[in-house]
Each structure stands twice: as C-alpha cells, then as structure tokens.
Amino acid sequence: MCADINECNFPDQYPCHGICSNIIGDYDCSCKSATQSADPKRKTCVFKNQN
C-alpha cells in the first residue's frame, strides 16, 4: 500500500519559497499576494513589478 507524505514538511528535498500545500502524491507551491512565480520548476516567487 502507498502512503502520501507531506512534502511541505521536508523543505530541503521539496523546496517552496511561497505557500506550500500538500496534495495527494505531490505538493503545490503558490505565491503570496503581491508576488508572482519566477521559476515554476524551482518553485520560487518574486515581487510583482509595481510600475
């Protein structure tokens, strides 16, 4: 039987520089408000340009 792990509990293995959410078999990393995704593969967020 397979068991889901919470990847958010292991940030060294599953990086997320935003809001980490566990989902079955994976995890989701979303950006906080006023930020946007800089590199989806690295799951990083940067501040939005305020021009």
Side-chain angles (χ1 to χ4, degrees):
M1 176 193 273
C2 294
D4 183 50
I5 62 166
N6 186 344
E7 290 87 355
C8 299
N9 291 337
F10 304 97
D12 290 338
Q13 291 178 290
Y14 306 98
C16 176
H17 302 284
I19 302 167
C20 187
S21 302
N22 185 51
I23 57 177
I24 301 289
D26 202 3
Y27 71 111
D28 184 53
C29 186
S30 58
C31 295
K32 297 175 184 176
S33 109
T35 64
Q36 64 189 16
S37 178
D39 183 351
K41 289 184 180 179
R42 291 188 176 266
K43 301 183 185 287
T44 59
C45 299
V46 296
F47 285 102
K48 292 180 182 177
N49 190 351
Q50 299 295 319
N51 289 338

